[in-house]
Amino acid sequence: MSTLVIVESPTKARTIRNFLPSTYRVEASMGHVRDLPSSAEEIPEAVKGEKWAQLGVNVEADFEPLYVIPKDKKKIVKELKDALKDATELILATDEDREGESISWHLLQILKPKVPIKRMVFHEITREAIRDALTHCRDIDNRVVQAQETRRILDRLVGYTLSPLLWKKIAWGLSAGRVQSVAVRLLVRRERERRAFRQGSYWDLKALLEKGKISFDAKLVTVGNVKVANGSDFDENTGQIISGRRVLLLNEQQARALLSRIQNKPWTVGNIEERPVTRKPSPPFTTSTLQQEANRKLRLGARETMRIAQSLYERGFITYMRTDSVHLSEQAIEAARSCVQELYGSEYLSPQPRKYTTKSKGAQEAHEAIRPAGSTFRTPQQTGLDGIDFRLYDLIWKRTVASQMADSRQTHVTVQTQVEDAGFRSSGKRIDFPGFLRAYVEGSDDPNAALEDQEVILPALKVGDKPNCKDLGAVGHETQPPARYTEASLVKMLESEGVGRPSTYASIIGTIVDRGYAKLIANALIPTFTAFAVTTLLETHFPDLVDTGFTSRMEQTLDEIATGEAKWLPYLQKFYTGETGLATQVKEQESQIDAKVARTVVLENISAKVCIGKFGAYLESESEEGLVKASIPQDLTPADLDPEQVEFLLKQKMEGPEKLGLHPQTGEPIYVLIGSYGPYVQLGDVSETNKKPKRASLPKGTDKDTVTLDMAVSLLTLPRLLGTHPDTGAKVQANLGMYGPYVVHDQGKVGKDYRSIKPPDDVLTITLDRALELLSQPKAARGRSKSATPLKELGAHPESGEPINVYDGRYGPYVKHGDINASLSKDESVENFTLQRALELLATKEAAGPKTSSKSKKSTKATAEKSDTATKKTAAKKTTAKKTETAAKKTTAKTTETAAKKTTAKKTATATTAKKTTK
């Protein structure tokens, strides 16, 4: 007797194998094995001509989804079918959330097992949890599957209906998404607030006082019993004091006059207030709070946080990482309290076990918070983890343990001091008992706030004391615009508004950045010109779809479908095909949307029009000579575009570039210009005889205003011939490339040998000797060279024993095992890359199979055409329903009959490119 267990990933499979008897075979599905078609070529031939085929959902037949097996999953499906042939029992052990339930359901539809079936769920991968789960198997929850399917269909309807409209009205390749577009709007609204912000300035005084050899700060708060203005008193839209506020606004002159008047005058303590404060620990992590805290403390993006957490879960270190719940099991509470008792002592335990409950009605995912796995918690040092894996586990361990610790008791002290008619305030904090702060301090969304809860000790003071003034100064301040969203604060906002679900936030933020709607700069998400244009169009013509309240109510309905409180079909019908449904709205609005207006971005304080074009954003302005258009550099965001830059770009276009001077040898003018890819220098003018003058980009980080004539002349000499290589006689050059400065040993047909130039070496001054020294050093791997030096050695493959290493390839770092290579994603760093992650990538690549060669493709195509001809003869005799991968659960006899009556005359000659969509 043998049992086949199917999980999602190879790592999870390897871990679970260790906890099951030898009669159990564990295989991985590599995620979803079936989905809506993502491209035209995935659409089955039998329905390719149907008008709904590109949508992947038959809206005329009760929103029946068209499911297909993606090309890269066909090999996996075959392997699972083969494994099932030898099994006497099938256990579906995918994750316990909606996606996991859906994967199990799809596996049943594809595998069609004739053996007993069980659904096994668990939230941690430990021997005890797996053995317990085996004895408590259940059936697939069809309501949860229905909720996931409704969500998937809804996202497809939104994305595939709105995206083509954006292609027509703004630019090809844009995408809209049910949650994605709301998140982009939040970024755009914040940027609009920042552009509309008017800065205000104010002055105050700051003193350094001393009593009993203990120094402490004091800040001016009143003059003549009138409150001195601070940043909170300013109107962000005017830069002036908010109307009706009775405050004293000091300028520099007044502040310095006050300083002179009270200098050397006696100080007196007027009032002392002590206020006891008790702080309770935060609940254990949910998906959302883990993403927020990892971003604040570890500077990890949401996607990277989830990738690392997934790896920790699958290796048995933490519980399931996609959860809305803050609940801890009795076992977990006991384990956490045991850690506190052992490491900190009984006085640091909360008097009673702390039990946290989830307030959100939408908490429909796993049943427990994210915590260390097992009935006893391994300390971070006991895990054997290192690098970023260690740091994230450490964060989770500390937060969980702290949740069962005693309150922190503090005393906040406020001291009022008076000098003449000027009142000063000093604030202190005394930690009377640290409690949970011994283990964990929550981070802050304020980048200037300290992560550690530190004491601010004031000296022992009493009313009437006269502290000494050691220093007194006037300090100027300027009000700051609203802070941009970080990944942490955007996740927090989405969750607080009830938009999307925490398990999807990582992919949403990743999509926003990948699709060019935002740039991630210094941990801030900055919207692009495209984001402004798309948001404005959606706000104007489809306001509900980017309204947080509407999207939140949509999420609630999807949750109600999962619990059986709402019906999926009436909801989809009303949303899409009703009188005010999305399809109707798009049909009505399309003719009303002026493409020229849609491509125009209106920005505060910018007189010129900003337009979205085929090659990016550009400026458009009327002049005496007619319409002037000037490209906006690709790295320039709406946040950075000011009137001065607009004037420079337009002036450069109308009057020609700024001339630095004349080349000392040729006498030709040298200009500094700004193009689509940033600033550069140009030698000579564009003319009929000189259509492509010599140009050279400025080194990264160089401001165009700092470029001198000598620097420009040096840049225009690039590539610099440094000399010849003593061994080969071939030339050695220095130059600037896409990835920065480099030296190259050019041996013609033999090949070119490159090395990067790193500071303090300079491409303009590097010598031949130094270049030869760089070229003599081993270089990082390129391509598939077996002799290349790895960037990182990860260890041996657990099955083959062969080494697994990371190399630097032409298109970035990749992991290699034998003949299999797999590229690292853009958000994965080599430094933090682990063996476990490498095994996942290699398994995915191997499962996808080798790429078909051109010759093979032609042969396959010819065979397919023959097969296709034979198939078409049979196709007319079969119904559409029998020929598609469509889910059987919603197919009715009526639906099949309707599909069969479709005439071939309505079929299109060529399937259009599949439209893009995201949540």
Side-chain angles (χ1 to χ4, degrees):
M1 178 180 178
S2 65
T3 299
L4 175 63
V5 180
I6 302 179
V7 296
E8 295 96 332
S9 78
T11 303
K12 190 175 178 182
R14 279 192 295 273
T15 307
I16 290 177
R17 279 190 199 111
N18 297 327
F19 306 136
L20 294 174
S22 58
T23 54
Y24 284 73
R25 178 177 176 179
V26 186
E27 297 294 340
S29 71
M30 308 301 292
H32 278 279
V33 291
R34 202 168 68 154
D35 198 3
L36 302 177
S38 61
S39 64
E41 66 177 8
E42 285 189 349
I43 299 173
E45 198 64 39
V47 297
K48 226 164 196 177
E50 304 293 347
K51 63 181 181 180
W52 54 266
Q54 292 296 326
L55 188 61
V57 178
N58 190 347
V59 296
E60 297 176 359
D62 291 345
F63 293 86
E64 184 179 11
L66 174 65
Y67 288 124
V68 298
I69 300 172
K71 187 176 180 180
D72 62 346
K73 292 300 175 72
K74 291 185 183 298
K75 181 180 177 182
I76 295 168
V77 169
K78 182 181 183 305
E79 290 173 350
L80 292 176
K81 285 183 176 180
D82 290 343
L84 186 60
K85 291 176 183 177
D86 300 325
T88 54
E89 182 182 45
L90 173 64
I91 295 180
L92 300 168
T94 53
D95 292 338
E96 60 177 326
D97 60 7
R98 291 171 183 161
E99 291 298 318
E101 205 73 14
S102 178
I103 291 172
S104 285
W105 181 82
H106 280 288
L107 284 168
L108 280 186
Q109 307 307 305
I110 292 173
L111 299 178
K112 297 180 173 54
K114 293 180 172 58
V115 296
I117 306 156
K118 293 180 181 178
R119 173 77 171 106
M120 181 171 82
V121 294
F122 43 84
H123 69 274
E124 60 181 330
I125 305 178
T126 60
R127 186 179 302 277
E128 182 180 6
I130 298 301
R131 292 294 177 91
D132 182 66
L134 275 174
T135 62
H136 294 88
C137 290
R138 59 169 174 79
D139 294 328
I140 288 177
D141 190 332
N142 285 317
R143 290 190 306 187
V144 174
V145 172
Q146 188 68 75
Q148 188 278 337
E149 186 172 66
T150 306
R151 185 183 299 270
R152 182 74 183 96
I153 293 172
L154 190 65
D155 288 333
R156 175 58 68 99
L157 295 175
V158 173
Y160 274 42
T161 305
L162 283 179
S163 295
L165 185 65
L166 299 181
W167 300 352
K168 295 175 186 176
K169 302 300 182 180
I170 300 178
W172 175 261
L174 296 179
S175 68
R178 181 176 61 87
V179 179
Q180 167 198 312
S181 296
V182 177
V184 171
R185 187 193 184 205
L186 288 172
L187 300 183
V188 171
R189 287 177 64 181
R190 178 59 55 86
E191 205 62 37
R192 287 172 181 163
E193 292 171 1
R194 287 176 62 85
R195 290 196 66 88
F197 173 79
R198 294 295 174 267
Q199 194 172 67
S201 61
Y202 60 98
W203 284 73
D204 58 23
L205 303 183
K206 186 176 180 181
L208 181 64
L209 306 180
E210 184 182 60
K211 180 73 164 81
K213 295 185 178 181
I214 297 177
S215 299
F216 60 102
D217 294 327
K219 181 182 176 182
L220 177 70
V221 289
T222 61
V223 175
N225 292 323
V226 178
K227 179 181 176 291
V228 175
N230 59 34
S232 64
D233 295 311
F234 284 83
D235 186 329
E236 293 184 345
N237 298 314
T238 65
Q240 304 298 315
I241 295 295
I242 297 171
S243 178
R245 290 277 173 96
R246 184 176 177 270
V247 292
L248 175 64
L249 177 60
L250 296 178
N251 58 31
E252 182 178 4
Q253 183 179 358
Q254 292 169 322
R256 296 196 183 282
L258 176 62
L259 186 152
S260 298
R261 181 161 64 83
I262 65 175
Q263 191 87 46
N264 301 321
K265 297 294 175 65
W267 292 66
T268 305
V269 175
N271 184 51
I272 300 174
E273 181 183 347
E274 292 194 359
R275 182 168 55 92
V277 174
T278 300
R279 284 184 57 189
K280 297 183 181 297
S282 300
F285 281 130
T286 61
T287 301
S288 168
T289 53
L290 177 62
Q291 290 174 4
Q292 293 173 48
E293 197 73 340
N295 185 251
R296 296 184 193 119
K297 287 190 170 182
L298 306 181
R299 283 295 182 259
L300 292 176
R303 275 194 294 193
E304 192 171 7
T305 297
M306 294 310 292
R307 180 185 62 75
I308 298 165
Q310 175 104 23
S311 175
L312 291 174
Y313 163 67
E314 291 178 346
R315 288 181 285 158
F317 288 107
I318 64 171
T319 54
Y320 191 55
M321 68 289 157
R322 291 190 180 93
T323 174
D324 293 348
S325 174
V326 293
H327 169 71
L328 287 177
S329 65
E330 293 297 330
Q331 178 192 65
I333 291 174
E334 183 58 38
R337 294 180 70 82
S338 177
C339 283
V340 176
Q341 177 80 42
E342 192 174 317
L343 296 172
Y344 304 110
S346 57
E347 68 271 27
Y348 281 91
L349 266 175
S350 61
Q352 299 296 325
R354 294 186 189 272
K355 297 189 178 182
Y356 299 91
T357 55
T358 305
K359 297 178 182 178
S360 170
K361 182 184 177 183
Q364 301 288 344
E365 304 294 348
H367 305 297
E368 198 172 0
I370 303 171
R371 62 168 178 86
S375 56
T376 57
F377 293 167
R378 286 172 284 183
T379 65
Q381 292 74 22
Q382 291 171 336
T383 60
L385 295 168
D386 58 11
I388 198 63
D389 288 356
F390 175 90
R391 294 172 67 195
L392 190 65
Y393 178 85
D394 182 62
L395 202 64
I396 294 168
W397 183 90
K398 286 178 176 176
R399 177 91 162 210
T400 309
V401 170
S403 73
Q404 293 301 316
M405 294 179 72
D407 294 343
S408 168
R409 298 192 302 275
Q410 306 173 3
T411 300
H412 291 190
V413 183
T414 303
V415 176
Q416 306 284 351
T417 49
Q418 196 77 20
V419 50
E420 295 280 305
D421 62 341
F424 286 73
R425 177 185 296 144
S426 302
S427 298
K429 177 166 59 179
R430 183 175 69 245
I431 298 178
D432 302 312
F433 177 67
F436 71 91
L437 296 178
R438 277 287 303 274
Y440 183 82
V441 183
E442 186 172 18
S444 169
D445 285 323
D446 178 2
N448 297 315
L451 289 178
E452 300 305 323
D453 201 300
Q454 297 178 342
E455 288 185 309
V456 180
I457 301 298
L458 298 179
L461 295 166
K462 59 182 184 294
V463 175
D465 281 350
K466 297 187 178 297
N468 296 322
C469 180
K470 295 181 65 179
D471 188 36
L472 181 63
V475 184
H477 306 273
E478 291 180 335
T479 57
Q480 299 300 312
R484 290 190 177 97
Y485 284 105
T486 62
E487 290 197 41
S489 58
L490 180 60
V491 166
K492 186 176 181 179
M493 174 60 78
L494 290 170
E495 185 178 42
S496 67
E497 293 290 334
V499 175
R501 282 293 169 258
S503 59
T504 66
Y505 292 155
S507 62
I508 289 165
I509 293 173
T511 299
I512 289 171
V513 174
D514 293 344
R515 296 266 171 93
Y517 288 112
K519 293 189 175 184
L520 188 57
I521 301 174
N523 206 39
L525 289 163
I526 305 176
T528 61
F529 294 104
T530 302
F532 271 72
V534 170
T535 297
T536 300
L537 184 149
L538 295 177
E539 284 176 331
T540 305
H541 300 279
F542 308 96
D544 281 353
L545 291 179
V546 286
D547 177 70
T548 53
F550 178 83
T551 309
S552 175
R553 290 191 295 275
M554 194 182 298
E555 291 290 353
Q556 291 173 13
T557 303
L558 291 171
D559 290 337
E560 289 167 359
I561 290 170
T563 58
E565 299 172 62
K567 300 297 183 182
W568 64 271
L569 184 56
Y571 178 70
L572 285 180
Q573 290 171 332
K574 181 181 179 182
F575 172 79
Y576 193 72
T577 57
E579 289 184 9
T580 58
L582 180 60
T584 308
Q585 287 187 54
V586 170
K587 193 176 294 184
E588 292 175 352
Q589 294 289 332
E590 184 170 351
S591 60
Q592 300 177 26
I593 300 173
D594 186 327
K596 179 62 178 176
V597 173
R599 294 189 185 104
T600 303
V601 178
V602 179
L603 295 177
E604 189 84 12
N605 297 330
I606 302 296
S607 56
K609 289 182 179 178
V610 178
C611 304
I612 307 299
K614 185 177 181 181
F615 303 105
Y618 64 92
L619 295 169
E620 190 175 274
S621 179
E622 291 286 349
S623 71
E624 295 178 358
E625 299 175 1
L627 192 64
V628 180
K629 296 181 180 180
S631 295
I632 297 175
Q634 291 186 356
D635 60 349
L636 196 65
T637 64
D640 305 317
L641 189 65
D642 56 37
E644 291 74 20
Q645 287 171 316
V646 170
E647 183 182 358
F648 178 86
L649 292 169
L650 292 173
K651 184 179 178 181
Q652 174 182 284
K653 190 71 175 180
M654 290 186 292
E655 301 177 7
E658 177 185 345
K659 187 164 71 173
L660 279 175
L662 301 178
H663 195 284
Q665 295 174 357
T666 68
E668 294 176 280
I670 296 179
Y671 303 103
V672 179
L673 303 97
I674 295 182
S676 297
Y677 298 98
Y680 62 94
V681 293
Q682 176 179 300
L683 177 62
D685 297 296
V686 179
S687 65
E688 284 297 321
T689 57
N690 188 25
K691 292 184 178 180
K692 291 185 178 180
K694 185 171 178 59
R695 294 170 176 170
S697 297
L698 300 189
K700 191 174 182 180
T702 304
D703 191 303
K704 67 177 179 59
D705 295 327
T706 64
V707 178
T708 63
L709 180 60
D710 289 341
M711 182 190 296
V713 170
S714 297
L715 287 170
L716 289 165
T717 64
L718 298 176
R720 289 175 57 219
L721 179 61
L722 304 180
T724 58
H725 198 287
D727 296 336
T728 65
K731 60 185 179 183
V732 177
Q733 294 176 313
N735 201 1
L736 274 173
M738 184 183 294
Y739 302 107
Y742 64 87
V743 293
V744 58
H745 176 205
D746 186 354
Q747 300 181 66
K749 293 183 179 180
V750 176
K752 297 180 180 180
D753 193 16
Y754 295 89
R755 294 294 185 280
S756 295
I757 298 175
K758 306 291 185 185
D761 291 321
D762 189 319
V763 68
L764 300 179
T765 59
I766 192 168
T767 64
L768 175 62
D769 288 343
R770 177 57 179 155
L772 293 173
E773 187 179 339
L774 291 177
L775 290 165
S776 68
Q777 297 173 2
K779 76 172 184 177
R782 293 286 177 183
R784 298 170 180 261
S785 171
K786 292 183 179 180
S787 60
T789 304
L791 297 178
K792 187 175 184 180
E793 296 180 358
L794 300 174
H797 193 285
E799 295 174 5
S800 69
E802 293 182 16
I804 297 179
N805 298 326
V806 179
Y807 295 94
D808 185 16
R810 182 179 180 184
Y811 302 105
Y814 66 94
V815 62
K816 181 179 181 67
H817 168 241
D819 294 328
I820 302 174
N821 294 350
S823 296
L824 277 66
S825 63
K826 290 181 180 179
D827 58 350
E828 290 180 308
S829 65
V830 175
E831 179 186 351
N832 299 324
F833 197 69
T834 64
L835 177 61
Q836 287 72 25
R837 176 59 178 158
L839 291 170
E840 293 172 17
L841 289 179
L842 291 166
T844 303
K845 187 66 180 286
E846 187 175 16
K851 291 186 177 180
T852 310
S853 66
S854 299
K855 187 175 180 180
S856 175
K857 283 181 180 177
K858 289 180 182 178
S859 175
T860 304
K861 184 178 180 182
T863 305
E865 286 175 354
K866 291 179 182 178
S867 174
D868 188 47
T869 303
T871 305
K872 285 181 179 177
K873 293 178 181 178
T874 312
K877 300 177 182 178
K878 296 184 178 181
T879 64
T880 301
K882 290 182 180 179
K883 297 201 57 165
T884 65
E885 291 282 342
T886 310
K889 68 185 179 110
K890 292 197 296 183
T891 304
T892 61
K894 184 179 179 181
T895 303
T896 306
E897 182 182 348
T898 303
K901 290 179 181 178
K902 301 287 181 180
T903 62
T904 55
K906 292 183 180 180
K907 293 189 177 183
T908 55
T910 307
T912 54
T913 306
K915 305 169 185 70
K916 299 177 182 177
T917 187
T918 57
K919 287 186 180 180

